[in-house]
């Protein structure tokens, strides 16, 4: 900055090194004025293009040649402008201190009305300290500091430390404040110490508290080391930014849910059944194919529903003829445990999901609405985590492209299209949507007929008694086809999107997600119908639950294999093709939306299969762990960060919502229907021979009632709250009322924001008017003198 | 690693010149490196050298535990290229040029720049004085939930 404009020279004097811009500092002002006059004369000679920071610049001065003279005349105005509260608040220490002094005072006096003399606004230092009449004895830095200390002393210690944490001052300044605080508090502390017990009891308690606190801080500092993948996530975030990081954070969340589900099932169901195995049937030899098909050796194992016994384990000796007296009499009712564990784990997962969804929503939702995205993009787009030069350059290019796109969108919005083009646009959109929905329908019908065909083939092969391995290998084909559809259709939808030419890239992403989601959910819906109705699938099996569990296992494994293949072909091979054949410098982009939808699909399969295969969450855990490392390696080697704009926190909210609503809700409905209405098989599993799975619960309640007549309230609760639908309607009604109330509150807040904005605009006009008046007054004074 | 061996004993009082600070990997390629050094340096000579406490200040503002208010306050000071307490058109132009890259072909052309600055001022200048002061800046920032995670430097 070789040529300092006039205004800047003033601000250089009043930088944040503690010198005050207030008119009281006589000496400083005069020297700066002298400097001003020197500068002014040199400027007039040099005829430089002075950059006035006054609003005079945007009101066009009548004769532009008089710019330099304007600079000279309005130096005093410029001085006053530079000391305006709204400008000093960003710069000088004193202003910050007095602002926080006000905030503390307001915190303390929250209930009472502020006196009329207090003219403080949200961001301006209190005007009562700058008397506007004559040369004021305005507060120096020390006085302001002592005022702040006095205010801070009147707060509670928790509020005080919070206030100190949030003050934007340097460390040295905060240390001085803290010293003054403890100095002032020193005298009252001595009083309390004199009153406090000097007994060894009190002293040792004090030391214990200090020791505990030290231990706690030590543990907190170890926390980053304990968190899984902390270093890997940091690496990914520093190179690709927070958009790609959101995918890996979502993976981590899913892993958390699965670990929780697995632990519950392990402790209450699997471990106990493993400790008391039922009568062993003939085991088939273990071949490698079982890992893929889930059948064979695994059929009568802990993996599936059919293994679990329907009796009370470890019953006391009196009930059974031959038992070992050594076993401790802790009877464990396996069917009850099975259904309760599954039900309770689903309920807790639901609560966790709703909680994380609401927290994510609260962080990302803003009342003002989506206006102002250009300013937000410019101020918040730069990700300071990105470190290397090449990635910084990439980020700059991305930001530039996004800014250009946003500007082009604004342009096109301000010039509306001709009706002919609009019609064409609408027709193209309708056609694209029709095509995508048509393909979904086509895929669903194809899957239906294909599965019928496959099971006919399998029964054929079974009746012809060809090898069992061949039979089971045939069963792999349906999951293969479904995974193929799920992998290929998104690419088709991407092609459609490029043909459609969306204006807004954000909308394009949402539409792509929507189409993929519809495809996956409809296919899953068809498969669920087939499993539950058992007209096509598993119709000949005696133990149909194990059959369905095996099917789901196969789907999960196939999904993993296809994700692997997709990563290899979509990223590795494509990058090699781009580099070697087409000789382009660009690498393939990491498609976040498609990958997240694949994760959601896999998780839905796991949730659908928990009832039929209690160890399925363990399989999913292994799959997610492997997926993390594979995706991370492929990302680092082959991909570049996406060029489309990606609001990471809003998309995280969308993903968690998608996980909750179609995915978890569908699985919960499937589970509820299975428990309430489907007849379990006769010969295997914990619910053999009952009408529905729910009946085991009802039987238990009746048993409880008979054995202990004091807990009839429990059955009353069960009968009137759970079985009666009136309660459910009542709860939904209350929920709807709460939602309506919140919507009204948000509407009211929006209205208030609009009114406040108008008020601020009016104040701004007042300010400009006053500045103009000031400018003319000084001009007249100069002309007169 | 910024200090030579013999000065490590009195690390608290030593000031490191700006050129050495800029060799840190986190700041090396950052387009805002000069502004960061200027804002956090408390040296009286104006040579932007930083002491250990200034360095700590900088890290604490860019860490996870700084409140959004502190981050937006310091972001405002970093973006205020001429240190006058507000973001006027020149500041915004400098900011956009830093974001899009310093070379000639990566900058926006003047028509786009004009339109961009016009739009920004329309959206964020509430009192319509042609500049964006701290409160208006903080108001814009509060509408973006991504700010806290992008205004972060992890060592």
């Amino acid at each position: 900055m070789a040529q300092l404009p006039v205004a800047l020279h003033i601000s250089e004097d009043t930088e944040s090194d503690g010198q005050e811009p207030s008119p009281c500092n006589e000496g400083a002002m005069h020297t700066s004025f002298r400097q001003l006059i020197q500068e002014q004369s040199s400027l007039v000679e040099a005829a430089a293009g002075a950059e006035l920071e006054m609003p005079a610049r945007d009101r066009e001065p009548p004769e532009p040649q008089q710019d330099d003279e304007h600079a000279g005349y309005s130096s005093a105005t410029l001085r006053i402008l530079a000391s305006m509260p709204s400008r000093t608040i960003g710069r000088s220490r004193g202003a910050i201190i007095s602002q926080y002094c006000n905030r503390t005072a307001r915190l303390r006096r929250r209930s009472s009305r502020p006196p009329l003399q207090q003219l403080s606004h949200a961001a301006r230092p209190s005007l009562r300290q700058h008397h506007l009449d004559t040369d004021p004895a305005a507060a120096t830095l020390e006085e302001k500091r002592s005022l702040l200390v006095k205010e801070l002393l009147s707060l509670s210690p928790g509020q005080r430390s919070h206030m100190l944490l949030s003050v934007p001052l340097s460390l040295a300044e905060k240390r001085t404040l803290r010293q003054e605080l403890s100095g002032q508090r020193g005298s009252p502390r001595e009083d309390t110490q004199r009153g406090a017990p000097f007994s060894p009891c009190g002293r040792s308690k004090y030391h214990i508290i200090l020791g505990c606190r030290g231990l706690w801080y030590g543990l907190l500092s170890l926390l980053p080391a304990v968190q899984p993948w902390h270093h890997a996530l940091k690496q990914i975030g520093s190179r690709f930014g927070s958009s790609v990081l959101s995918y890996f954070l979502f993976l981590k969340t899913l892993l958390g849910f699965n670990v929780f589900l697995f632990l519950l099932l392990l402790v209450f169901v699997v471990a106990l059944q493993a400790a008391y195995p039922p009568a062993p049937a003939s085991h088939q030899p273990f071949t490698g194919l079982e890992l893929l098909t889930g059948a064979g050796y695994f059929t009568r194992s802990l993996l599936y529903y059919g293994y679990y016994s329907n009796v009370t384990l470890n019953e006391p000796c009196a009930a059974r003829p031959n038992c070992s007296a050594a076993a401790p009499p802790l009877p464990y009712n396996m069917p009850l445990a099975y259904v309760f564990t599954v039900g309770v784990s689903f309920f807790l997962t639901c609560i966790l999901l709703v909680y994380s969804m609401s927290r994510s929503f609260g962080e990302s939702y803003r009342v003002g609405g989506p206006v102002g995205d250009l300013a937000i993009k410019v101020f918040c787009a730069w990700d300071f985590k990105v470190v290397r030069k090449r990635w910084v350059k990439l980020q700059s290019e991305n930001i530039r492209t996004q800014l250009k796109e946003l500007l082009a969108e604004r342009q096109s919005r301000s010039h509306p299209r001709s009706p002919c083009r609009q019609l064409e646009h609408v027709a193209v959109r309708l056609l694209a949507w029709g095509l995508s929905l048509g393909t979904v329908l086509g895929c669903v019908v194809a899957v239906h007929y294909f599965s019928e065909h496959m099971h006919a083939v399998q029964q054929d092969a079974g009746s012809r008694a060809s090898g069992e391995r061949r039979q089971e290998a045939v069963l792999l084909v349906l999951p293969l086809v479904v995974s193929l559809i799920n992998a290929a259709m998104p690419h088709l939808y991407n092609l459609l999107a490029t043909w459609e030419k969306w204006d807004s890239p954000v909308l394009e992403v949402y539409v792509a997600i929507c189409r993929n989601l519809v495809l996956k959910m409809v296919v899953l819906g068809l498969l669920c119908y087939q499993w539950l109705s058992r007209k096509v699938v598993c119709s000949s099996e005696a133990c149909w639950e194990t059959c369905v569990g095996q099917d789901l296992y196969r789907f999960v494994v196939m999904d993993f294999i296809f994700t692997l293949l997709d990563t290899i072909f979509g990223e590795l091979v494509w990058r090699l093709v781009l580099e070697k054949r087409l000789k382009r410098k660009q690498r393939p982009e990491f498609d976040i939306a498609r990958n997240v939808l694949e994760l959601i699909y896999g998780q839905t399969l796991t949730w659908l299969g928990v009832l039929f295969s209690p160890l399925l969450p363990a399989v999913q855990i292994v799959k997610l762990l492997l997926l993390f490392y594979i995706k991370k390696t492929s990302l680092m080697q082959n991909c570049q960060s996406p060029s489309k704009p990606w609001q990471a926190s809003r998309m995280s909210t969308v993903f968690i919502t998608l996980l909750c609503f179609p995915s978890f809700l569908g699985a919960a409905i499937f589970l509820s229907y299975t428990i309430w209405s489907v007849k379990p098989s006769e010969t295997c599993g914990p619910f053999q021979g009952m009408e529905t799975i729910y009946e085991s619960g009802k039987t238990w309640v009746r048993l409880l009632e008979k054995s202990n007549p004091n807990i009839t309230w429990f059955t009353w609760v069960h009968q009137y709250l759970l079985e009666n639908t009136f309660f459910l309607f009542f709860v939904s009604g209350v929920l709807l009322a709460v939602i309506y109330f919140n919507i009204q509150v948000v509407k009211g807040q929006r209205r208030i924001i609009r009114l406040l904005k108008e008020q601020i605009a009016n104040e701004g006009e007042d300010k400009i008017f006053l500045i103009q008046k000031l400018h003319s007054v000084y001009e007249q004074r100069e002309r007169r003198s | 690693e910024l200090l030579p061996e013999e000065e490590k004993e009195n690390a608290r009082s030593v000031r490191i010149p700006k050129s050495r600070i800029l060799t840190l990997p986190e700041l090396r390629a950052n387009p805002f490196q000069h502004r960061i050094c200027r804002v956090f340096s408390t040296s009286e000579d104006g040579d932007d050298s930083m002491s250990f406490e200034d360095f700590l200040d900088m890290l604490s503002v860019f860490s996870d535990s700084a409140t959004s208010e502190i981050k937006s306050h310091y972001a405002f000071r970093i973006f205020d290229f001429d240190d006058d307490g507000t973001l006027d058109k020149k500041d915004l132009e400098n900011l956009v040029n830093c974001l899009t890259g310093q070379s000639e072909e990566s900058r926006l052309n003047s028509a786009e720049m004009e339109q961009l600055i016009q739009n920004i001022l329309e959206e964020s200048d509430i009192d319509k004085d042609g500049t964006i002061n701290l409160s208006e800046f903080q108001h814009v920032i509060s509408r973006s939930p991504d700010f806290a995670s992008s205004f972060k430097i992890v060592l």
Side-chain angles (χ1 to χ4, degrees):
Chain A
M1 295 209 268
Q3 234 171 29
L4 285 181
V6 173
L8 280 172
H9 224 268
I10 305 170
S11 35
E12 287 285 285
D13 291 337
T14 61
E15 227 178 318
S16 54
D17 284 10
Q19 292 181 15
E20 282 303 299
S22 74
C24 160
N25 249 337
E26 303 275 336
M29 269 313 138
H30 282 261
T31 40
S32 76
F33 211 119
R34 229 175 288 136
Q35 274 175 321
L36 260 178
I37 295 175
Q38 283 175 356
E39 265 290 310
Q40 174 198 327
S41 42
S42 65
L43 265 180
V44 164
E45 288 157 21
E51 287 170 1
L52 294 172
E53 55 140 9
M54 236 186 73
R57 195 155 35 109
D58 27 357
R59 308 171 287 116
E60 301 282 64
E63 286 122 341
Q65 297 97 344
Q66 278 184 9
D67 244 327
D68 300 336
E69 297 162 50
H70 264 285
Y73 285 130
S74 53
S75 60
T77 326
L78 285 174
R79 180 161 53 95
I80 293 189
L81 271 180
S83 60
M84 262 198 328
S86 64
R87 298 197 183 195
T88 58
I89 192 65
R91 273 188 297 129
S92 78
R93 243 188 296 166
I96 297 176
I97 288 182
S98 34
Q99 181 196 9
Y100 275 84
C101 185
N102 278 344
R103 282 215 193 148
T104 325
R106 230 177 302 131
L107 199 65
R108 198 166 44 88
R109 264 190 266 120
R110 229 198 306 240
S111 49
S112 59
R113 282 187 60 165
L116 282 171
Q117 293 89 3
Q118 191 171 359
L119 300 167
S120 56
H121 297 278
R124 296 152 182 263
S126 168
L127 288 177
R128 77 183 150 174
Q129 290 175 359
H130 291 286
H131 296 293
L132 294 172
D133 23 339
T134 48
D135 242 345
T140 57
L141 190 59
E142 283 73 33
E143 285 177 28
K144 286 191 184 169
R145 203 184 280 147
S146 54
L147 253 169
L148 179 62
V149 166
K150 198 170 63 156
E151 294 285 355
L152 279 177
L153 276 175
S154 51
L155 287 179
S156 70
Q159 277 179 323
R160 191 184 307 150
S161 50
H162 184 74
M163 196 48 101
L164 269 180
L165 260 180
S166 56
V167 175
L169 291 172
S170 68
L171 257 180
E173 191 61 41
K174 285 194 195 180
R175 203 185 299 137
T176 344
L177 274 175
R178 216 169 258 205
Q179 273 170 2
E180 285 197 25
L181 267 176
S182 53
Q184 294 224 9
R185 243 193 340 193
S187 27
R189 189 191 270 176
E190 279 163 16
D191 288 338
T192 53
Q193 267 199 345
R194 223 170 285 135
F198 264 97
S199 60
C201 208
R203 223 182 300 147
S204 57
K205 205 174 15 163
Y206 179 67
H207 285 309
I208 288 176
I209 291 178
L210 274 185
C212 284
R213 202 188 296 175
L215 199 68
W216 176 243
Y217 286 146
L219 277 175
L220 274 183
S221 65
L222 278 181
L223 200 63
V226 161
Q227 269 177 12
W229 299 326
H230 178 74
H231 181 71
L233 288 174
K234 194 162 67 159
Q235 228 184 337
I236 295 175
S238 74
R239 182 163 158 188
F240 293 96
S242 21
S243 53
V244 173
L245 193 62
S246 65
Y247 167 77
F248 287 93
L249 287 174
F250 188 69
L251 209 155
K252 205 166 108 164
T253 319
L254 281 183
L255 192 73
F257 278 121
N258 279 310
V259 165
F260 169 72
L261 199 61
F262 175 61
L263 280 177
L264 268 182
L265 282 169
L266 184 75
V267 167
F268 290 107
V269 173
V270 177
L272 287 153
Q273 187 66 65
Y276 295 95
S282 61
H283 267 294
Q284 298 170 353
F286 181 79
T287 58
L289 197 59
E290 269 85 28
L291 287 175
L292 278 183
T293 60
Y297 178 74
F298 281 152
T299 316
R300 290 204 57 78
S301 68
L302 276 170
L303 188 55
Y304 297 116
Y305 172 97
Y307 186 78
Y308 293 85
S309 45
N310 68 332
V311 295
T312 310
L313 301 171
N314 198 14
E315 273 197 278
C317 262
R320 283 189 296 175
N322 49 338
C323 61
S324 49
L330 282 173
Y332 195 78
N333 192 342
M334 187 41 113
L336 213 58
Y338 198 92
V339 71
F340 271 0
T341 313
V342 171
V344 165
S345 60
F346 259 70
F347 183 65
L348 288 176
T349 311
C350 178
I351 291 181
L352 276 174
L353 262 179
V354 169
Y355 169 71
S356 61
M357 189 173 75
S358 64
R359 198 174 54 152
S360 172
F361 193 70
E363 276 173 10
S364 71
Y365 182 70
R366 293 292 180 261
V367 176
V371 191
D373 41 353
L374 209 57
I376 291 178
K377 170 133 279 194
V378 167
F379 291 141
C380 311
W382 187 261
D383 200 343
F384 281 76
K385 290 197 289 272
V386 176
V387 167
R388 289 225 205 124
K389 196 159 183 176
R390 188 163 45 114
W391 307 335
V392 163
K393 206 160 144 234
L394 210 63
Q395 195 180 59
S396 305
E397 277 173 23
N398 279 344
I399 291 182
R400 181 167 157 266
T401 327
Q402 287 165 22
L403 283 175
K404 286 204 172 188
E405 276 178 4
L406 276 172
L407 285 172
E409 192 192 349
R410 291 288 171 96
Q411 281 278 54
S412 72
R413 232 190 277 165
S414 56
H415 306 303
R417 266 181 284 225
S418 62
C420 185
R421 292 216 55 189
Q422 259 186 340
L423 206 65
E424 187 189 322
H425 209 65
V426 166
V428 163
R429 292 283 157 79
L430 278 176
L431 198 63
W433 271 105
L435 213 68
S436 52
L437 288 175
T439 47
V440 166
L441 213 62
C443 287
V444 160
V445 166
V447 165
H448 178 74
Y449 283 119
F450 193 76
S451 67
E452 275 183 4
H453 176 74
M454 284 321 300
H455 278 274
V457 163
Q458 194 218 0
Q459 280 178 1
D460 228 10
S463 62
R464 268 188 283 127
S466 52
E468 262 197 45
R469 288 182 59 182
R470 192 189 141 78
Q471 265 184 353
E472 284 161 5
V474 150
L475 284 173
L476 274 177
V477 182
L478 180 64
L480 200 106
V481 165
V482 171
S483 297
L484 201 68
I485 290 178
N486 278 328
M489 295 304 285
H491 293 288
L492 180 70
Y493 292 144
N494 281 343
L495 273 177
L496 264 181
T498 50
W499 174 58
E500 272 178 299
K501 282 198 270 294
W502 291 92
D503 281 334
S504 145
V506 180
L507 206 58
E508 200 180 318
V509 170
Y510 280 136
V511 164
I513 289 180
C514 203
R515 288 179 181 157
N516 281 324
L517 198 68
V518 164
L519 173 73
K520 290 186 157 78
M521 290 301 142
V522 172
V523 169
L524 270 182
L526 173 76
L527 288 170
C528 286
Y529 169 72
Q530 283 189 342
W531 284 323
L532 283 184
S533 66
R534 272 169 293 135
K535 292 201 205 82
V536 175
V537 176
C538 300
S539 45
S540 59
E541 296 272 337
C543 196
W544 65 268
E545 289 99 346
T546 307
C547 176
V548 172
Q550 284 173 346
D551 235 357
L552 275 161
Y553 176 86
R554 282 189 282 263
F555 269 92
V556 169
V557 170
M558 265 304 148
D559 181 52
F560 175 58
I561 292 178
F562 262 83
T563 315
L564 246 163
L565 286 177
D566 188 42
T567 312
I568 294 180
F569 283 108
E571 293 174 9
L572 178 65
V573 171
W574 191 237
R575 171 182 75 105
L576 291 173
V577 161
L578 279 178
E579 269 182 22
K580 305 281 192 316
R581 285 298 187 84
L582 302 176
K583 296 274 194 274
R584 262 189 265 171
K585 265 310 181 80
Q586 248 183 343
R587 285 175 163 197
E589 279 180 16
F590 187 76
D591 194 345
I592 302 174
R594 195 164 52 90
N595 281 303
V596 168
L597 281 179
E598 274 174 20
L599 281 179
I600 294 180
Y601 175 73
Q603 188 61 38
T604 317
L605 286 174
T606 311
W607 277 330
L608 285 174
V610 160
L611 184 66
F612 303 110
S613 168
L615 281 181
L616 202 58
V619 175
Q620 176 80 350
I621 289 174
V622 169
K623 176 179 148 190
L624 285 175
L625 283 173
L626 287 175
L627 208 63
F628 182 88
Y629 290 108
I630 293 172
K631 283 281 177 189
K632 174 173 165 269
T633 323
S634 162
L635 183 74
M636 292 295 191
Q637 302 287 342
N638 304 329
C639 295
Q640 69 178 30
S641 55
S643 57
K644 296 211 201 317
W646 192 264
Q647 296 144 319
S649 59
R650 199 178 292 175
M651 294 315 277
S652 307
T653 315
V654 168
F655 293 146
I656 276 262
T657 313
L658 286 178
L659 188 68
C660 192
F661 282 123
S663 166
F664 182 76
L665 198 67
I669 290 177
F670 179 75
L671 186 80
S672 319
Y673 183 74
T674 314
I675 290 185
W676 249 283
S677 317
V678 175
K679 186 165 166 32
S681 62
E682 298 281 339
T683 53
C684 66
F687 306 104
Q688 303 167 6
M690 292 191 201
E691 265 308 307
T692 61
I693 299 180
Y694 186 61
E695 215 183 276
S696 63
K698 278 205 278 203
T699 328
W700 175 68
V701 167
R702 258 180 259 135
L703 214 72
L704 210 62
E705 203 181 47
K706 257 190 281 176
S707 65
N708 192 350
N710 288 341
I711 28 179
T712 40
W713 59 268
F714 190 73
T715 46
W716 180 87
V717 160
H718 181 253
Q719 194 181 353
Y720 284 105
L721 288 186
L722 289 182
E723 299 204 344
N724 199 349
T725 45
F726 170 71
F727 182 66
L728 280 169
F729 280 127
F730 179 69
V731 166
S732 340
V734 167
L735 210 65
L736 282 173
V738 167
I739 293 175
Y740 175 74
F741 176 70
N742 277 318
I743 290 178
Q744 291 302 316
V745 164
V746 166
K747 270 199 200 159
Q749 283 179 344
R750 281 216 188 105
R751 207 178 308 145
I752 289 183
I753 289 177
R754 199 169 35 94
L755 287 173
L756 284 174
K757 274 199 183 160
E758 282 175 17
Q759 195 175 350
I760 296 179
N762 287 336
E763 298 271 337
E765 279 180 35
D766 279 350
K767 186 169 81 171
I768 292 182
F769 173 74
L770 286 171
I771 290 173
Q772 279 177 325
K773 278 280 175 196
L774 197 66
H775 174 61
S776 59
V777 159
Y778 273 111
E779 227 178 333
Q780 281 173 7
R781 199 186 286 184
E782 286 289 330
R783 252 189 246 128
R784 245 183 275 135
S785 62
Chain B
E1 347 34 277
L2 287 175
L3 283 181
E5 272 305 321
E6 62 271 12
E7 294 185 37
K8 276 214 167 103
E9 288 90 54
N10 46 348
R12 291 252 170 133
S13 48
V14 133
R15 302 198 77 95
I16 300 185
K18 180 165 153 182
S19 47
R20 287 270 276 288
I21 301 274
L22 291 183
T23 60
L24 269 178
E26 284 79 10
L27 288 182
R28 213 180 358 215
N30 198 323
F32 297 105
Q33 48 189 222
H34 300 286
R35 285 300 307 161
I36 291 178
C37 286
R38 168 61 63 94
V39 165
F40 287 102
S41 148
T42 54
S43 83
E44 284 91 30
D45 331 314
D47 61 349
D48 293 343
S49 60
M50 287 173 63
S51 69
F52 181 63
E53 282 190 0
D54 298 337
F55 191 65
L56 272 184
D57 265 336
M58 180 179 84
L59 288 182
S60 117
V61 166
F62 278 107
S63 76
D64 251 331
S65 37
T67 61
S68 164
E69 204 177 297
I70 291 191
K71 283 193 194 250
S72 54
H73 183 101
Y74 277 96
F76 181 76
R77 283 173 64 183
I78 290 177
F79 293 156
D80 187 9
F81 283 83
D82 49 10
D83 273 327
D84 60 357
T86 58
L87 301 179
D88 51 5
K89 283 197 183 165
K90 199 80 187 84
D91 285 329
L92 289 175
E93 209 176 300
N94 274 332
L95 174 62
V96 173
N97 283 333
C98 271
L99 284 180
T100 60
Q102 291 297 342
S103 59
E104 269 312 308
E105 69 267 8
S106 63
R107 294 191 180 193
L108 297 179
N109 61 40
S110 55
E112 288 172 335
M113 181 71 79
E114 198 49 49
Q115 188 195 356
L116 180 63
I117 293 184
Q118 206 52 42
N119 277 323
I120 292 176
L121 284 176
E122 233 173 74
E123 288 167 5
S124 29
D125 190 12
I126 307 181
D127 57 2
K128 308 273 180 276
D129 63 350
T131 64
I132 301 179
N133 62 18
L134 178 66
S135 336
E136 290 161 349
F137 183 77
Q138 281 182 328
H139 179 73
V140 170
I141 293 287
S142 71
R143 286 205 298 243
S144 157
D146 286 321
F147 177 69
S149 63
S150 50
F151 199 73
K152 195 171 14 169
I153 289 184
V154 189
L155 265 196

